[in-house]
Amino acid sequence: KKMTIKLKNSLVKYFIYIFALFLALFIVTNVFGTGQVKNEEYVSTSTIEDSNENYSIYVEYPRFDNDDINSIIMNKVYSYIKEFKNIEVNNKVLDITYELYYLNNEFVNITFHIENTQSIIKNQNILIDLNEKKLVYINSLYDTDYLINEINNLVLQKYSDDIYNQVLK
């Protein structure tokens, strides 16, 4: 009977020890941080709204906790707005939204969905190196032959063999 009580006490102590260990890891990870914070926590959404008798503009864009990254994004957003304002048509509308796609927490691809009454909806992408805080291009990340092969595989999967063979020519 004493053996059973000692075994139960040891088991209870073991569970308490494990619980305390997990609690300590939870506190260290969430309170003090370990450098692996979700990227989404660093991003907020900002908007630009402008309208007059000739146009209406609504733009959503991401804002990071870094001025260099924000500068890259703002330069791109303002180039879209400037291009739109240069179209000589009245009653035009520009609507831009975005999505973020992360690659290994080192890069973020920002896809801008641009709806413009003067053209069809189009997507524009910018790729940002989060460590270097600069604009990069996909061909600097991957070998050109690899990219060509991947594009060809996507075409083959989506379209018929005839179209695939036309692309290869």
Side-chain angles (χ1 to χ4, degrees), residues 18-69:
I18 295 297
F19 176 77
L21 182 63
F22 280 118
L23 183 61
L25 287 172
F26 176 79
I27 291 170
V28 167
T29 302
N30 291 305
V31 175
F32 298 108
T34 60
Q36 293 184 349
V37 180
K38 291 181 184 177
N39 285 320
E40 290 82 5
E41 293 177 18
Y42 292 107
V43 181
S44 62
T45 297
S46 291
T47 58
I48 297 173
E49 294 183 71
D50 184 21
S51 63
N52 63 25
E53 64 276 353
N54 294 323
Y55 62 80
S56 176
I57 295 173
Y58 179 79
V59 178
E60 289 182 349
Y61 61 95
R63 290 201 54 85
F64 289 76
D65 286 341
N66 182 281
D67 291 338
D68 294 333
I69 293 173

Side-chain angles (χ1 to χ4, degrees), residues 100-113:
L100 301 176
Y101 301 95
Y102 292 92
L103 177 62
N104 300 329
N105 285 335
E106 293 179 34
F107 301 93
V108 62
N109 180 60
I110 304 169
T111 300
F112 290 103
H113 304 286

